[in-house]
Amino acid sequence: MRTSGEVTRAGPLPGGEGGGGAAYDVVVVGAGVVGAAIARALARHPLRVALVEAANDVGDGTSKANTAILHTGFDAVPGTLEARLVREGHRLLTAYARETGIPVEPLGALLVARDEQQRAALPRLAEKAGRNGHRTTRIIDAAELASREPHLGPGALGALDVPGESIVCPWTTVLAYATQAVRSGVDLYLNCRVEEVRAGDPHHRLVTRRGTLRARHLVNACGLYADAFDALVGREDFTVTPRRGQLLVFDKFARDLVRHILLPVPGPLGKGVLVSPTVYGNVMLGPTAEDLDDKTATGTTAGGIAGLLEQGGRVLPALLDEEVTAVYAGLRAATGREDYRIAAHPALRYVTVGGIRSTGLSASLAIAEHVLGLLADCGLVPGPERPLAPVLVPNLGEAFPRPYRDAGLIARDPDFGAVVCHCERVTRGEIRAALASTIPPGGLDGLRRRTRARGGRCQGNFCGAEVRALFEEARNPPGAYEGDGR
């Protein structure tokens, strides 16, 4: 069994015997946070596994644009698969983050009631949390709420205090999963959209833009496109409706305005608009909830931004005096049911992992364990467990030591003291390490998700040229020439 897999973004896929495509025990399609977690879980066993992704990087879909909260599952629908997996996933990811360096800050959440109807709903929400195994919530009055969040706008009548809700770095979470999977033997094929599935026995054939792969077992972790991939294997069990969430990111000077994750009482389209710190030292406002037809509609709108500012001004008036440094939108995979759409199809040796909405990051490790059980139901014999290759991701969180402040690291390598991106204090050493990593970025956006370079208040206006030069130098090192295979 190989100790390390390969990562490719271009060129033909391996041909396998007879040129019919390399044969794998399991192919996982979709390298978002859920697909990468599943690949990592499979890598604990002596299996040949491939992780296939249409984009040029891991975590390039819903996983890169979300509210970055590690949920306890206190407000999930009791008794659902989602409720169980989010609760278990919160425990697993909290422990995994400590092992791998993913920044997590357990700030706790306050579910703020702003009218009598919302205040009357707080006991019901506390009871719901208890049914989900979260029994440490408590209702606080307006006076305690004001002491804990002194910058709240007028009209807050009380809140449900939810300990355990945390903020997390979503970018390094998916990077940790995928890196550990590759280092433990999983092959990662990027820019590799699956266009056809030819079901067969003993292998399915996956026809991609880069060639063909063969898979004894198949996992659909395609996020927004889970229904489209289902159709490739002859299933039509649900339809994914993209639900757009627009978000605003405020400058780091806003960070002292908020101490907890501030949530509204939930509405019919989800948790509603929140105000929350980020692990990067900013404050986030959002998301909206707009059901669309277009699965690529990640643009923001004037109406969406205006609505967020109006709601944010009611929750935290002083926030509107701070600068907005970024505006973005993500798409969640809504399916018309308040639960995940995870199902095994033993006759096809196939597992669908669909409908993973805003809680997918929190539940990811538990989803992966659940899918391993479903693959066993489909006939997969995983074999004995073995240890995974260790991984330590770069720290992007402000609450933990950053390289530019690490005198010992700088003494060993002065590049870690050479700041390139001054807004985010990203050093040349961090950029260089990301570009030489197991899964190097496929573009400047991927580099930002690994280092924060170009992610600050100037959005790369100051550092962009130097960051691009470092990226291009890594792709085309001195001495390389066209056709040398680099």
Side-chain angles (χ1 to χ4, degrees):
M1 189 72 184
R2 293 175 302 162
T3 57
S4 182
E6 64 175 350
V7 179
T8 64
R9 285 188 167 90
L13 298 176
E17 294 183 14
Y24 290 90
D25 296 300
V26 186
V27 172
V28 180
V29 184
V33 71
V34 171
I38 294 168
R40 171 190 171 275
L42 287 164
R44 297 200 310 261
H45 302 276
L47 299 166
R48 191 163 190 210
V49 179
L51 179 59
V52 175
E53 170 57 46
N56 78 342
D57 206 349
V58 298
D60 199 56
T62 300
S63 300
K64 73 178 180 185
N66 52 60
T67 53
I69 293 176
L70 178 52
H71 295 288
T72 59
F74 79 97
D75 58 349
V77 177
T80 60
L81 179 63
E82 180 179 21
R84 176 170 69 82
L85 295 182
V86 172
R87 183 172 62 249
E88 179 67 7
H90 178 274
R91 181 185 66 81
L92 292 172
L93 183 48
T94 299
Y96 184 74
R98 287 194 293 266
E99 296 173 5
T100 58
I102 298 167
V104 172
E105 293 183 53
L107 302 180
L110 294 172
L111 205 67
V112 180
R114 305 194 67 82
D115 58 40
E116 289 296 341
Q117 183 178 7
Q118 292 181 354
R119 180 161 65 174
L122 295 181
R124 173 180 54 81
L125 292 168
E127 186 272 337
K128 182 180 183 181
R131 290 166 61 198
N132 282 320
H134 199 301
R135 298 179 175 84
T136 58
T137 62
R138 67 185 184 93
I139 296 172
I140 63 175
D141 61 20
E144 182 176 348
L145 176 59
S147 70
R148 292 175 62 174
E149 287 291 349
H151 297 285
L152 272 179
L157 303 179
L160 182 68
D161 179 19
V162 187
E165 293 281 300
S166 304
I167 55 175
V168 63
C169 176
W171 302 333
T172 49
T173 300
V174 66
L175 184 64
Y177 295 166
T179 298
Q180 196 163 36
V182 168
R183 289 181 181 175
S184 302
V186 172
D187 290 329
L188 172 61
Y189 300 122
L190 300 164
N191 290 319
C192 193
R193 183 181 301 277
V194 177
E195 298 180 328
E196 183 182 355
V197 177
R198 299 171 185 168
D201 191 5
H203 291 99
H204 305 305
R205 277 181 164 75
L206 281 69
V207 181
T208 81
R209 293 181 177 180
R210 295 177 51 196
T212 301
L213 294 173
R214 291 181 292 158
R216 288 185 179 274
H217 295 83
L218 190 56
V219 177
N220 169 3
C222 294
L224 290 168
Y225 297 91
D227 56 345
F229 192 89
D230 257 8
L232 294 181
V233 297
R235 306 291 310 186
E236 294 183 1
D237 298 330
F238 59 89
T239 299
V240 172
T241 298
R243 181 168 292 165
R244 179 168 60 189
Q246 301 182 51
L247 298 109
L248 305 180
V249 179
F250 287 83
D251 192 68
K252 292 174 173 39
F253 288 114
R255 178 61 183 84
D256 289 339
L257 295 177
V258 59
R259 302 171 181 175
H260 305 78
I261 302 163
L262 300 180
L263 301 169
V265 174
L269 285 179
K271 296 179 173 64
V273 172
L274 59 85
V275 177
S276 175
T278 72
V279 294
Y280 318 116
N282 303 91
V283 174
M284 179 184 297
L285 170 64
T288 59
E290 314 151 56
D291 285 348
L292 307 174
D293 296 322
D294 184 355
K295 293 181 179 180
T296 65
T298 56
T300 57
T301 66
I305 293 170
L308 288 176
L309 290 172
E310 179 184 358
Q311 294 180 71
R314 289 197 298 268
V315 176
L316 209 66
L319 187 62
L320 301 194
D321 295 329
E322 303 296 335
E323 286 191 49
V324 173
T325 60
V327 180
Y328 68 95
L331 298 174
R332 287 110 68 192
T335 64
R337 192 171 79 183
E338 289 192 85
D339 202 358
Y340 295 157
R341 301 284 189 137
I342 303 178
H345 307 287
L348 290 170
R349 305 185 310 284
Y350 171 63
V351 175
T352 299
V353 187
I356 312 299
R357 303 171 300 161
S358 58
T359 56
L361 171 62
S362 305
S364 53
L365 290 176
I367 291 172
E369 296 305 314
H370 182 65
V371 169
L372 257 62
L374 295 180
L375 284 168
D377 294 341
C378 292
L380 178 69
V381 180
E385 285 201 23
R386 58 182 186 173
L388 290 166
V391 64
L392 187 66
V393 294
N395 167 51
L396 303 188
E398 282 298 301
F400 306 92
R402 296 277 308 285
Y404 76 93
R405 301 178 66 181
D406 188 334
L409 177 62
I410 295 168
R412 295 190 298 273
D413 187 340
D415 270 0
F416 285 97
V419 174
V420 174
C421 172
H422 288 266
C423 294
E424 297 296 300
R425 295 179 175 84
V426 181
T427 66
R428 184 178 295 112
E430 291 169 272
I431 294 172
R432 189 192 66 200
L435 293 169
S437 63
T438 301
I439 307 174
L444 294 178
D445 284 345
L447 181 58
R448 175 175 54 83
R449 295 194 293 272
R450 287 162 173 80
T451 63
R452 287 173 41 184
R454 298 169 56 251
R457 65 186 309 175
C458 85
Q459 293 292 290
N461 284 330
F462 179 81
C463 67
E466 185 173 359
V467 172
R468 179 178 289 276
L470 290 168
F471 178 78
E472 294 297 336
E473 181 181 342
R475 288 206 305 181
N476 302 289
Y481 61 91
E482 187 175 355
D484 73 351
R486 299 193 191 192

